[in-house]
């Protein structure tokens, strides 16, 4: 990990949106950082640094340096700029999954780090204002020496199939109307991934699964997840959504699917892979 020598591009965020110059469509070339000078002259100046609203994003050696800052939610954008939900931008540009180093992957990295920077202004142990650790990404407490790195929360997401070649898709209370996706849940302390999968599926829809196999993974910085995708097979029990987190869950065949999550999510990637057989 190298520190940033020279910032050439800056991501501008506002809440879970990326702020972009106006344009007709959104393509991979549009969701990168805007020129440092343009961002700073439009939205701030050197006085913005080093507040929690601005941070540099360390990159691999040899890459141009990036920075990011987060506008307040009530900041009115100047003419010629617009605010686009990051999920919508990713869905519009990503062909499949978001990979590290792609325009979408760099956007995810910058957004993840930006959010963490805002939440790590103070030491979690003694409450003193944190400094930046030299040469890298960590925060360092100048009083007690505690170091803090960006938090990454692992979560499993699982395609369950049955012996009738159907896939289990569920409508979560947080989803938009009509959207069905894979079952998912956060890893708890003391669990391995298999035990998380078995517990979550039992809790959410009351069934048992086995033959768990790893499928794919993808960062998901809303706010700080790493989604670990698996497949599993139905092994028993009567399907019964918990009614609070999962409002509906059903077995679907390939030719009669509900509305699916957007492109650029690991859920969609795993569902698409199953659809291709
Ligand atoms: Zn401290």
């Amino acid at each position: 990990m190298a520190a940033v020598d020279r910032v050439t591009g800056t991501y501008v965020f506002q809440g879970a949106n990326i702020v972009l110059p106006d344009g007709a469509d959104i393509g991979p070339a549009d969701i990168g950082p805007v020129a440092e000078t343009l961002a700073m002259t439009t939205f701030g100046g050197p006085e913005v640094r080093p507040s929690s609203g601005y941070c540099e994003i360390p990159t691999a050696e040899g890459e141009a340096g990036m920075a990011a800052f987060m506008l307040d939610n009530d900041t009115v954008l100047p003419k010629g700029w617009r605010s686009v939900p990051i999920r919508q931008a990713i869905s519009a540009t990503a062909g499949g999954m978001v990979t590290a180093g792609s325009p979408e992957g760099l956007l995810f990295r910058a957004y993840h780090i930006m959010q963490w920077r805002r939440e790590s202004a103070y030491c979690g142990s003694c409450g003193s204002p944190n400094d930046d650790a030299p040469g890298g990404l960590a925060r360092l407490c100048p009083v007690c020496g505690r170091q803090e790195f960006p938090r990454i929360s692992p979560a499993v997401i699982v395609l369950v199939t049955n012996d009738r070649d159907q896939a289990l898709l569920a409508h979560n209370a947080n989803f938009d109307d009509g959207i069905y996706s894979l079952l998912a849940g956060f890893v708890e302390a003391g669990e391995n991934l298999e035990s998380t999968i078995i517990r979550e599926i039992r809790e959410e829809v009351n069934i048992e699964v086995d033959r768990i196999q790893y499928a794919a993974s993808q960062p998901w910085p809303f706010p700080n997840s790493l989604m670990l995708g698996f497949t599993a097979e139905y092994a028993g029990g009567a399907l019964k959504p918990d009614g609070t987190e999962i409002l509906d869950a059903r077995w679907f065949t390939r030719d009669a699917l509900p509305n699916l999550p957007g492109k650029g999510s690991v859920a969609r990637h795993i569902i698409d892979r199953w659809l291709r057989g």
Side-chain angles (χ1 to χ4, degrees):
M1 179 71 64
V4 174
D5 291 331
R6 187 173 63 89
V7 171
T8 56
T10 300
Y11 290 93
V12 182
F13 296 116
Q14 187 172 37
N17 291 11
I18 181 169
V19 176
L20 299 169
D22 270 339
D25 294 316
I26 296 173
D30 304 317
I31 60 167
V34 296
E36 161 80 353
T37 47
L38 177 61
M40 293 311 260
T41 53
T42 307
F43 297 103
E47 70 275 7
V48 175
R49 310 181 197 203
S51 78
S52 64
Y54 177 93
C55 70
E56 294 180 347
I57 313 289
T59 53
E61 207 96 41
E63 286 183 25
M66 298 189 298
F69 62 82
M70 180 85 76
L71 302 173
D72 291 336
N73 284 338
D74 58 3
T75 299
V76 177
L77 298 182
K79 197 167 168 18
W81 293 78
R82 60 176 169 164
S83 181
V84 180
I86 293 170
R87 287 177 223 224
Q88 188 184 317
I90 292 292
S91 189
T93 65
M97 281 213 303
V98 174
T99 53
S102 66
E104 295 83 8
L106 292 172
L107 170 59
F108 271 7
R109 173 172 167 78
Y111 184 57
H112 186 150
I113 292 170
M114 180 75 251
Q115 294 176 92
W116 167 74
R117 289 281 304 196
R118 286 163 65 88
E119 293 164 359
S120 61
Y122 297 93
C123 172
S125 182
C126 76
S128 305
N130 273 328
D131 287 341
D132 293 332
L137 191 54
R139 296 275 215 179
L140 178 64
C141 175
V143 175
C144 75
R146 179 180 180 270
Q147 267 197 314
E148 181 176 334
F149 293 87
R151 177 180 304 219
I152 298 172
S153 301
V156 297
I157 184 155
V158 190
L159 172 72
V160 182
T161 53
N162 65 17
D163 58 9
R164 288 185 291 166
D165 203 22
Q166 294 171 312
L168 179 62
L169 300 173
H171 179 72
N172 187 294
N174 295 321
F175 290 172
D176 288 342
D177 282 352
I179 299 279
Y180 282 70
S181 186
L182 305 182
L183 294 170
F186 286 106
V187 179
E188 291 191 355
E191 286 186 326
N192 60 20
L193 301 175
E194 291 82 356
S195 58
T196 305
I197 290 166
I198 290 167
R199 174 184 55 75
E200 280 287 345
I201 292 175
R202 192 181 285 153
E203 286 174 3
E204 292 184 348
V205 295
N206 191 48
I207 65 169
E208 303 299 319
V209 296
D210 63 10
R211 296 179 180 272
I212 294 166
Q213 285 196 311
Y214 173 76
S217 70
Q218 181 182 288
W220 194 245
F222 304 100
N224 55 23
S225 294
L226 173 63
M227 304 303 297
L228 300 150
F230 290 83
T231 60
E233 293 181 16
Y234 170 79
L239 189 62
K240 183 173 180 297
D242 66 15
T244 52
E245 189 172 349
I246 300 297
L247 302 184
D248 190 26
R250 302 182 206 175
W251 296 104
F252 291 94
T253 54
R254 288 182 176 82
D255 58 358
L257 288 170
N259 293 328
L260 299 174
K263 298 267 186 195
S265 62
V266 71
R268 181 59 178 268
H269 171 79
I270 294 172
I271 294 168
D272 284 348
R273 204 171 69 165
W274 173 73
L275 287 174
R276 290 193 299 269

